[in-house]
Amino acid sequence: MVGKDILLGAWRLMTTARAMAAIYEENRPITKYVHSTSKGHEAIQIAAGLLLKPVDYAYPYYRDESILLSMGMQPYELMLQLLAKAEDPFSGGRTYYAHPSLRREGMPVMPHQSSATGMQTIPATGAAHGLKYLESQGMLTGAEKGIVLCSLGDGSVTEGEVAEALQMAVLHKLPILYLIQDNDWGISASGDEMRAMDAFDYALGFKGLKRVRVNGSDFVQCYSEMENALNYVRTERAPMLMHVKVPLLGHHTSGVRSEWYRDDYEKHMRLDPLPRLRELLLTLGESEKDLDAIAGETEALVKADFERAKAAPDPEFGTLKMHVEAETPIVEEKGERSPAGAETVMMVDAALHAVDEILKKHPEALLYGQDVGLRLGGVFREAATLAEKYGKDRVFNTPIQEAYIVGSTAGMSAVGCKPIVEIQFADYIWPGVNQLVTELSKSTYLSMGKFPVASVIRVPTGAYGGGGPYHSGTVESSLLPIKGIKIAYPSNAADMKGLMKSAYYDPNPVVMFEHKGLYWSKVPGTDMAKTPEPDEDYVVPFGKARVALEALATSVDRGESVGVVTYGMGVYWAMNAAKNFPGQVEVLDLRTLAPYDEEAIVSLTKKHGKVLILTEETLRNSFAEALAGRITQACFQYLDSPIKTMGSEDVPAVPLNAGMESVMLPNAEKVSVALEALLSE
């Protein structure tokens, strides 16, 4: 039996949530920002919030205000978010109602998550994955073991990314409870329109995922089953799915009103958990007067809190750019780039050694992705020997799940892990971009700095020697508009190692583009990609370019020089082309693209007056063309000639035929022609 004190507490919380829904509806001109309420869902949400522990992690979704109330949040705090006020404890007025991100003593941790339905399942599962890893290493020493609660609506279970999360949860036996609240509606689409089965039946396909159905109108059943489920996950360290049938007693959101599409409202009203809880309390001896008194108290509290929230200050506009990124500790080059007696290494070995040193020094670090595990060590052997050294808990293969590979790093980071992950080829990054954009890139900003996502995402890229259309692509221009992430693109072994270390120590998501054609310097003219190996402490700060080749001062003084801004393979096309113009060409290797070194580019432009921007990407609408526009704005009066750009031919993919590939790509000969034209202007 559930004790009467718990039932009375639930009554107080449920009437509070109802009073909040009512006052929001009565004040629609004031509650103008789109929001949802928990009306009808309160029983299971209150049970969850009351039973979670401070050691746990919770990922509520946008209808879960009753979970937040039962965890200890006050109506006033939620109203500050509802009205986008400065003191909103989650986001400072930046994100939607009931979108929590909070670390508060005595409460479960609630990392940031987006509004994208179902997307939270991967970060939440990543958090459970991280907890399991930390436990396996003896790094969680508390008496109680934490678990993860992931809450979502039944309509979102049709998302493919939910399947990826469930697959990993059962594959690795992760301590996570998926709470599915099924009210038979998406927005205006009913359940029978959207799915062939509900979440309970769907979960049968995931072997090892324990399931239970719950009546969300019955608080006693909700509390008992939630208690059982959390105990199971906590003790067995295994995943579970709870499917709860609940009525939808309000609108889908304030912006999509029930009268526009609902034809089953009376049916849902008969399933309202509030009068059922009231009847139970009356049968247990509580008086109507006492229950009404509690409801009156909660209504008065809600009204007073709403007036306070209305009067609270809005955010100061000067805070707009706060927490776009978390502050990195790596702000200058440190360590020895070329130590005495150092062995000359290839880029692929520099990357391997950097990750090896990170794993050796930092027990919170993991490495995972497709085929990086024990048998192969990466399709380019860039992780060779690491699984053997550090074990399958730290270095492991994932299924073919780019979304999980990327999105899980948000949850891993939230629990204190620092993941290094790999996308096998740049052409296959697209399934992971959803998580990169919706979850990773916005987490720092929308949580006001509470939940930066520290992750390194390695992406082999570039064309050489007939790799074909799905193994040769360059995609940096597609990712560069994403704010809140960093992008590195090293061109040699020393920068590979220094940037890999900087990326690891950076608290922000970092995408590391690694050109396959430079890994072993097999492409003619790329021997300079091999360098003496830097020492273990070597780091390269983001946003600092390197002069790969300097022009002679006499050529500059005579106005007979040109600057090339490039990165990756472009560095070698430019340097090999420069052999035809001794002393006249200066090559600037950007090394990182977000941020990029604008100061160095401006200095180069002023120095030479003529600039070529060189990229391997197709040219139209590229980063290179955008950069040309920025240089023109900043340095127009210093230009002796329009900024020139060069890239690959504008076709949708790199052809398999090696001859056609060479026609598509820039090369030293083509760059020589462009440089000669610039120098003659």
Side-chain angles (χ1 to χ4, degrees):
M1 285 293 294
V2 178
K4 190 191 287 189
D5 55 339
I6 294 173
L7 296 175
L8 284 170
W11 174 255
R12 182 175 293 276
L13 288 164
M14 205 176 293
T15 55
T16 301
R18 287 299 169 91
M20 292 166 68
I23 204 166
Y24 298 168
E25 182 68 11
E26 292 163 6
N27 291 272
R28 286 174 59 192
I30 298 170
T31 58
K32 59 184 179 180
Y33 301 113
V34 173
H35 60 273
S36 294
T37 71
S38 58
K39 191 175 181 181
H41 291 228
E42 298 100 337
I44 191 62
Q45 291 185 20
I46 291 169
L50 290 176
L51 287 163
L52 286 169
K53 298 182 178 182
V55 293
D56 296 333
Y57 290 78
Y59 288 77
Y61 85 123
Y62 58 81
R63 200 180 296 282
D64 280 347
E65 68 183 357
S66 286
I67 287 184
L68 301 176
L69 288 170
S70 54
M71 284 181 182
M73 301 298 295
Q74 296 303 305
Y76 174 66
E77 295 179 294
L78 299 182
M79 291 168 180
L80 289 172
Q81 190 182 36
L82 173 83
L83 302 176
K85 296 294 188 175
E87 295 176 5
D88 155 29
F90 300 150
S91 75
R94 294 178 175 185
T95 198
Y96 294 111
Y97 181 67
H99 286 56
S101 52
L102 193 68
R103 294 184 187 271
R104 181 177 288 179
E105 189 72 24
M107 290 177 60
V109 176
M110 291 181 281
H112 164 266
Q113 67 178 50
S114 75
S115 284
T117 55
M119 296 304 97
Q120 73 271 32
T121 52
I122 285 179
T125 307
H129 206 156
L131 288 177
K132 177 165 183 173
Y133 167 71
L134 294 172
E135 287 176 24
S136 75
Q137 305 299 302
M139 295 170 66
L140 294 181
T141 57
E144 290 189 304
K145 292 183 176 181
I147 59 95
V148 177
L149 175 79
C150 178
S151 174
L152 59 162
D154 193 76
S156 67
V157 177
T158 58
E159 285 277 4
E161 295 188 14
V162 175
E164 291 193 18
L166 297 179
Q167 179 73 239
M168 289 298 282
V170 296
L171 181 64
H172 289 274
K173 198 178 179 184
L174 303 180
I176 183 168
L177 174 63
Y178 300 99
L179 169 59
I180 316 296
Q181 300 175 57
D182 183 359
N183 60 32
D184 274 330
W185 287 97
I187 298 179
S188 65
S190 60
D192 57 2
E193 291 179 85
M194 295 186 296
R195 64 194 186 210
M197 65 199 81
D198 65 21
F200 181 84
D201 291 331
Y202 179 65
L204 183 61
F206 295 91
K207 185 179 180 180
L209 183 60
K210 186 178 174 67
R211 319 170 287 158
V212 65
R213 286 192 189 273
V214 177
N215 176 5
S217 298
D218 182 342
F219 176 77
V220 172
Q221 185 182 145
C222 287
Y223 190 90
S224 298
E225 292 292 351
M226 180 60 69
E227 188 172 36
N228 291 338
L230 291 174
N231 285 341
Y232 171 81
V233 175
R234 200 177 304 281
T235 56
E236 298 298 321
R237 316 307 288 163
M240 184 170 177
L241 182 141
M242 176 180 286
H243 177 265
V244 187
K245 200 71 173 179
V246 290
L248 179 62
L249 302 183
H251 313 289
H252 170 73
T253 66
S254 58
V256 182
R257 308 198 48 86
S258 60
E259 57 265 25
W260 297 348
Y261 65 94
R262 294 288 297 278
D263 55 9
D264 61 350
Y265 200 70
E266 290 187 6
K267 173 186 172 183
H268 280 239
M269 285 296 293
R270 292 194 292 271
L271 301 173
D272 187 347
L274 183 67
R276 294 188 180 203
L277 179 58
R278 181 186 178 92
E279 286 301 315
L280 175 60
L281 284 165
L282 290 174
T283 62
L284 293 175
E286 291 298 316
S287 68
E288 291 197 9
K289 179 180 178 182
D290 288 344
L291 295 180
D292 289 342
I294 292 173
E297 291 170 10
T298 59
E299 183 178 5
L301 171 66
V302 165
K303 287 182 177 178
D305 280 1
F306 189 65
E307 292 302 314
R308 286 175 62 206
K310 285 194 298 181
D314 289 325
E316 294 182 8
F317 298 155
T319 65
L320 175 66
K321 292 187 177 181
M322 288 176 59
H323 304 296
V324 172
E325 294 175 349
E327 188 173 337
T328 177
I330 308 299
V331 295
E332 60 183 350
E333 185 174 357
K334 291 184 178 180
E336 289 290 329
R337 183 179 178 91
S338 300
E343 181 183 354
T344 296
V345 295
M346 299 179 292
M347 274 185 62
V348 69
D349 288 333
L352 171 63
H353 298 166
V355 176
D356 188 6
E357 290 168 1
I358 289 168
L359 292 171
K360 185 177 181 180
K361 186 174 182 179
H362 299 285
E364 69 275 14
L366 305 90
L367 173 67
Y368 55 95
Q370 296 168 35
D371 298 304
V372 304
L374 182 62
R375 294 185 187 89
L376 189 60
V379 295
F380 302 105
R381 305 294 288 152
E382 73 283 1
T385 73
L386 294 181
E388 184 179 352
K389 282 186 179 181
Y390 299 105
K392 64 180 181 180
D393 290 331
R394 295 190 73 187
V395 181
F396 58 88
N397 293 325
T398 66
I400 303 171
Q401 293 185 346
E402 287 81 7
Y404 186 86
I405 292 168
V406 174
S408 61
T409 66
M412 286 273 190
S413 180
V415 302
C417 296
K418 296 198 75 171
I420 303 169
V421 300
E422 183 178 308
I423 302 296
Q424 205 161 75
F425 293 93
D427 303 85
Y428 300 141
I429 198 172
W430 306 113
V433 170
N434 193 3
Q435 289 286 329
L436 183 65
V437 173
T438 60
E439 307 299 335
L440 275 68
S441 71
K442 297 177 174 62
S443 186
T444 297
Y445 187 70
L446 293 181
S447 70
M448 289 293 278
K450 293 189 293 295
F451 289 97
V453 177
S455 66
V456 181
I457 303 166
R458 300 182 63 184
V459 186
T461 189
Y464 78 101
Y470 294 103
H471 299 80
S472 307
T474 46
V475 302
E476 58 267 23
S477 287
S478 297
L479 302 191
L480 280 163
I482 303 170
K483 310 309 174 193
I485 69 171
K486 294 185 176 182
I487 297 178
Y489 205 136
S491 69
N492 59 72
D495 286 337
M496 171 71 87
K497 187 170 185 181
L499 286 169
M500 187 74 75
K501 292 290 185 75
S502 293
Y504 179 78
Y505 292 118
D506 200 303
N508 300 285
V510 177
V511 176
M512 289 278 298
F513 284 115
E514 305 173 16
H515 200 292
K516 308 187 306 294
L518 300 177
Y519 266 156
W520 302 282
S521 293
K522 287 183 177 180
V523 177
T526 62
D527 281 345
M528 287 179 289
K530 294 183 283 189
T531 71
E533 182 170 2
D535 69 14
E536 186 173 346
D537 297 323
Y538 184 63
V539 290
V540 174
F542 276 63
K544 294 294 183 183
R546 178 183 70 92
V547 176
L549 179 67
E550 191 168 8
L552 292 176
T554 53
S555 297
V556 176
D557 292 342
R558 291 196 299 262
E560 296 175 352
S561 64
V562 62
V564 181
V565 178
T566 188
Y567 53 94
M569 186 64 79
V571 173
Y572 300 96
W573 293 329
M575 291 175 70
N576 286 307
K579 294 175 183 177
N580 298 317
F581 312 95
Q584 293 182 273
V585 179
E586 189 153 318
V587 179
L588 185 69
D589 180 0
L590 289 179
R591 303 198 288 190
T592 69
L593 309 184
Y596 65 85
D597 192 342
E598 186 161 333
E599 182 179 345
I601 296 170
V602 168
S603 177
L604 181 84
T605 305
K606 291 179 178 179
K607 181 177 180 180
H608 301 286
K610 297 176 181 180
V611 174
L612 171 68
I613 302 175
L614 176 60
T615 180
E616 185 171 330
E617 287 195 295
T618 54
L619 198 55
R620 196 172 297 275
N621 302 320
S622 66
F623 168 64
E625 289 196 333
L627 199 55
R630 290 190 66 87
I631 297 174
T632 300
Q633 289 182 49
C635 302
F636 183 77
Q637 67 271 35
Y638 298 98
L639 291 173
D640 299 326
S641 174
I643 301 290
K644 296 292 194 298
T645 56
M646 176 180 284
S648 294
E649 297 294 332
D650 285 315
V651 296
V654 180
L656 179 63
N657 180 274
M660 292 181 70
E661 176 191 270
S662 67
V663 171
M664 176 190 177
L665 294 173
N667 57 36
E669 291 74 21
K670 294 177 184 179
V671 174
S672 291
V673 172
L675 292 176
E676 185 172 19
L678 268 172
L679 287 167
S680 64
E681 289 182 357

